[in-house]
Amino acid sequence: MGLDIRIDLPRTEQSDTYDVAIVGAGPSGLTAGIYCARGRRSTVVLERNMAGGQIALTELVENYPGFPDGISGFDLADRMKRQAAQFGAELREITTVASLQPHEDGCFSITTDQESIRSRAVILSPGVEAKRSGIPGEAEFIGRGVSWCATCDGALYKGRTVAVVGGGDAAVEEGLFLTKFADKVYVVHRRDELRAAKIAQERAFANPKMEFVWDSVPRRVVGDQMVEGLEVQNLKTKEVRTLPVNGVFFYIGQIPNTAFLQGVVERDEAGYILTDELMRTSLCGVFACGDARSNPLKQIAMAVGEGALAAVQAQRYLDQLECPLPAAGGQRPAWGGPTVPAASGERPGSGGAGDTPTP
């Protein structure tokens, strides 16, 4: 739990109700926590693992503004965490959210594996997790040679041979990290060119420890007690061969941690949360931001910006609940839903006069 430095700042009229509950403590959730707590709103941040999300497992972040020499993902996450706590946000780690339920009085109940939390507004930033390949041997060798985190497990493969499956930024960057320990790193990619950033590609191609297995997909993880090989098939020639590896790291995509939201807010076909341009979901009083939101870019800078916007709109929503416009008659503000663009004039989450949202 973070250090609460606020002075004489009650939660709400009901002491057991927070102004804002934030689900997820990655970059977007922590940023939202900073903004809400700094705005003197009682704020709780719920994180199923440790704060930081996926960046906490990243060895080096080079593209986040303000760090020309780069910064470790763990250090960046820790700074965000301490900043949120400094303003009074409460952080509850190792807390898994099981459900979100709206109530007739306009508040929400968030049920976790430990307790039930009540809040007047909710910001969803549950993040994503690595996608499983589903090939034989993957599940059987978890913890015995199969991994999704080079930063976590790379040191276990000093002087050994590993395979990285994937061709995007995560696969290439984590593959480069593994060369610090392993003698050889195979990169297995289903296409004949990488999708990673050009600078990462240049480093990978220049690294003598990396060998690329093009146009190929994994078919089976081979081994007895531990991983001993990865069977791959060339998609063009149909040739099957087994790479002699001691470990396999999968980076083949991500899935959003939004199963608990089924039937609660609108999601797309892949499970990503749908919002409008103001981060408003289909449920009045609930906002979303970060990698679990349906957006075209999964980057830290994007997540931070979305977290800031979601927090500002949540606070404006609360402001209008407390001081409704005369036309609202003291009722809960109207809500447009995730696919409805912001209308002109004031409504919860919109900028109102003098602060028109970008169309």
Side-chain angles (χ1 to χ4, degrees):
M1 184 176 293
L3 173 65
D4 191 338
I5 62 172
R6 297 168 298 176
I7 300 175
D8 296 327
L9 181 61
R11 279 187 194 169
T12 60
E13 292 180 359
Q14 292 177 295
S15 60
D16 63 340
T17 302
Y18 288 90
D19 289 324
V20 184
I22 301 171
V23 180
S28 60
L30 289 174
T31 300
I34 291 169
Y35 271 69
C36 288
R38 189 172 182 271
R40 293 299 185 258
R41 291 293 183 178
S42 57
T43 304
V44 62
V45 186
L46 309 171
E47 169 56 45
R48 67 193 187 106
N49 294 311
M50 300 298 290
Q54 293 194 61
I55 63 165
L57 304 176
T58 304
E59 183 207 13
L60 184 66
V61 177
E62 293 185 304
N63 59 355
Y64 190 71
F67 300 94
D69 299 321
I71 181 173
S72 77
F74 178 85
D75 288 342
L76 181 58
D78 185 63
R79 292 187 184 200
M80 292 181 178
K81 173 181 174 179
R82 288 189 286 114
Q83 191 171 2
Q86 176 181 320
F87 288 116
E90 295 184 28
L91 176 61
R92 303 184 186 181
E93 299 172 296
I94 319 298
T95 299
T96 300
V97 173
S99 67
L100 168 65
Q101 180 180 0
H103 294 288
E104 291 183 359
D105 63 358
C107 291
F108 302 89
S109 289
I110 299 175
T111 303
T112 76
D113 57 353
Q114 302 177 35
E115 60 186 327
S116 180
I117 292 172
R118 180 180 168 90
S119 69
R120 299 197 297 152
V122 176
I123 297 176
L124 300 170
S125 57
V128 296
E129 62 182 22
K131 183 183 295 184
R132 303 293 179 93
S133 71
I135 63 173
E138 179 187 40
E140 291 84 346
F141 287 101
I142 293 175
R144 295 187 291 138
V146 168
S147 177
W148 293 265
C149 180
T151 306
C152 308
D153 301 327
L156 301 174
Y157 297 92
K158 186 174 182 179
R160 312 191 84 179
T161 300
V162 300
V164 170
V165 180
D169 287 326
V172 174
E173 291 171 3
E174 298 297 90
L176 283 166
F177 175 74
L178 286 167
T179 62
K180 294 184 176 183
F181 308 99
D183 284 348
K184 188 179 189 63
V185 177
Y186 289 101
V187 179
V188 180
H189 187 38
R190 65 183 302 115
R191 299 179 177 86
D192 59 2
E193 61 180 5
L194 300 173
R195 295 178 289 106
K198 293 298 182 182
I199 188 170
Q201 293 190 39
E202 292 168 2
R203 291 172 179 169
F205 293 143
N207 193 311
K209 289 187 175 182
M210 299 187 79
E211 180 177 328
F212 295 86
V213 183
W214 302 111
D215 301 312
S216 298
V217 294
R219 291 302 186 197
R220 184 166 64 97
V221 179
V222 181
D224 184 11
Q225 297 300 314
M226 303 290 290
V227 169
E228 297 173 6
L230 177 66
E231 184 181 286
V232 300
Q233 182 177 32
N234 187 289
L235 295 174
K236 293 180 177 179
T237 67
K238 305 305 179 183
E239 176 191 1
V240 177
R241 63 168 172 148
T242 299
L243 304 176
V245 300
N246 308 110
V248 183
F249 293 79
F250 289 94
Y251 298 99
I252 57 174
Q254 300 170 325
I255 55 176
N257 296 313
T258 60
F260 72 98
L261 295 172
Q262 183 173 359
V264 180
V265 299
E266 290 184 16
R267 301 178 296 161
D268 65 15
E269 294 180 355
Y272 289 91
I273 305 168
L274 294 170
T275 74
D276 64 9
E277 70 274 22
L278 297 176
M279 306 296 115
R280 300 180 299 184
T281 71
S282 58
L283 182 59
C284 185
V286 178
F287 304 79
C289 54
D291 286 358
R293 188 183 84 88
S294 179
N295 63 39
L297 184 64
K298 310 300 183 184
Q299 293 288 312
I300 300 172
M302 181 82 166
V304 166
E306 289 187 358
L309 180 56
V312 169
Q313 301 308 323
Q315 291 177 78
R316 288 175 175 171
Y317 166 76
L318 291 172
D319 288 343
Q320 290 191 24
L321 282 179
E322 296 161 356
C323 300
L325 296 174
Q331 301 299 312
R332 194 179 189 199
W335 197 255
T339 57
V340 179
S344 59
E346 277 191 85
R347 67 181 195 171
S350 73
D355 192 8
T356 304
T358 302

